[in-house]
Amino acid sequence: MAQAWKCSGLRWSADGPVLVWDGGRRSALTWGKRVAFGVTEGGARTCVGARGHACPVSAAVPGRSTGARCEECARLDRAHSVAADTIADDPRPYHVYLAWFGPGMVKVGITAEERGSARLLEQGAVCFSWLGVGPLMAARRTEELLRAALRVPDRIPYAEKRAVRAALPETAADRAREVAELYERAVALPAWPESLVPEPLRVVDHVEVFGLADVPVAIGGVSELVAGGAVGGELVAAAGPDLHLATGGGVVVLDTRLMAGWALVPATGDELTVPVRQFKEAAGVQDGLF
């Protein structure tokens, strides 16, 4: 029997997307690469634990959960998290950014300055611009200012991001327009924290990085993995945690977060024997995963 591996998630490096496996093994992903794996027969999906520690009870988790954690481990993981707003004393400087995912879909967020644009790649931002940089609490106050004054959300569900990828404008200038307009409105607001240093508008476009140009419209997305199921196809694009996979039946999107917690083995075919949710407007939606 082939050795089983557990996936730790998709990471973005300077060279593109990389699948990371428990134990530190990495699989670089390039366009045109065939990606195929199977879920072990009779296996079950178990909690991935929290903050580097295994789940003490190896609790079962639902196949459709993108967090892959039981309730207790999820609570522990968020107990000391900037994303969960449970840290107020992080001394590192933070960037405030505007991220655009498609027409009418812009969010505000923060990320540690030392991480560069990694957070934007992880979220699948089609383009973005920095707004400013400063202490964590100043960045948080600026984020809240934009939410309250301009009604800019700080969270956008991945399903909504995928749904608009088919409607991306063709040129980088058109894709940057909404970010530029919102940037001008944001910097004109009064009451910006004095400790936040403004950043000039510079829109960074990720369409080429993600491989989204001229990618066929996705027909659906994997809704969950199942014991004994298999996924296989040719990688045509990737954005955030998503891999766009060309199969015999069309491009299908796989959220790699669904892989965590399963024991996976290499596969040789190009089959897709896991549940797939058809997109309601597949004829006009560009999307995809591995």
Side-chain angles (χ1 to χ4, degrees):
M1 178 181 293
Q3 179 180 358
W5 295 84
K6 286 198 171 183
C7 184
S8 301
L10 185 70
R11 304 288 184 270
W12 283 88
S13 71
D15 298 321
V18 177
L19 279 175
V20 182
W21 306 88
D22 286 5
R25 179 186 175 189
R26 291 172 171 256
S27 300
L29 299 174
T30 55
W31 312 144
K33 180 174 183 176
R34 182 181 157 279
V35 180
F37 64 87
V39 184
T40 55
E41 291 281 357
R45 193 184 191 199
T46 56
C47 175
V48 297
R51 307 190 65 77
H53 299 285
C55 177
V57 297
S58 296
V61 292
R64 298 194 178 196
S65 167
T66 54
R69 289 186 173 90
C70 67
E71 184 175 344
E72 180 63 16
C73 286
R75 183 187 67 80
L76 291 173
D77 189 64
R78 295 179 67 82
H80 192 70
S81 166
V82 170
D85 204 14
T86 54
I87 296 179
D89 58 353
D90 190 335
R92 297 176 298 172
Y94 275 77
H95 264 132
V96 183
Y97 62 80
L98 293 172
W100 184 87
F101 301 92
M105 195 169 291
V106 186
K107 63 155 282 187
V108 60
I110 69 172
T111 184
E113 183 184 31
E114 66 186 32
R115 295 204 67 209
S117 61
R119 181 63 178 152
L120 286 305
L121 293 167
E122 293 167 357
Q123 292 185 17
V126 176
C127 63
F128 79 94
S129 177
W130 304 125
L131 268 175
V133 63
L136 173 59
M137 296 313 295
R140 279 289 189 212
R141 287 196 297 272
T142 305
E143 186 181 40
E144 178 58 34
L145 175 64
L146 266 65
R147 288 203 305 262
L150 302 181
R151 299 184 182 277
V152 183
D154 64 338
R155 298 180 190 276
I156 296 176
Y158 278 101
E160 295 181 18
K161 299 175 187 179
R162 296 178 188 121
V164 298
R165 286 186 198 145
L168 297 179
E170 292 186 3
T171 69
D174 287 336
R175 293 191 292 270
R177 184 167 293 115
E178 286 185 70
V179 171
E181 291 174 352
L182 187 56
Y183 174 93
E184 295 301 329
R185 294 173 62 198
V187 297
L189 290 172
W192 268 54
E194 293 183 2
S195 56
L196 192 84
V197 179
E199 294 269 10
L201 175 67
R202 187 175 71 87
V203 181
V204 179
D205 193 278
H206 287 154
V207 163
E208 294 298 330
V209 176
F210 290 156
L212 293 174
D214 302 320
V215 171
V217 171
I219 61 169
V222 172
S223 54
E224 64 179 315
L225 301 185
V226 294
V231 173
E234 177 187 339
L235 182 67
V236 294
D242 296 347
L243 297 176
H244 297 225
L245 191 64
T247 71
V251 173
V252 174
V253 176
L254 170 65
D255 185 335
T256 53
R257 296 175 299 174
L258 297 175
M259 297 168 64
W262 288 103
L264 306 176
V265 295
T268 57
D270 287 328
E271 58 186 343
L272 194 66
T273 59
V274 295
V276 174
R277 175 182 54 83
Q278 298 294 314
F279 292 146
K280 292 181 179 179
E281 299 178 0
V285 176
Q286 175 178 352
D287 200 21
L289 260 175
F290 135 175

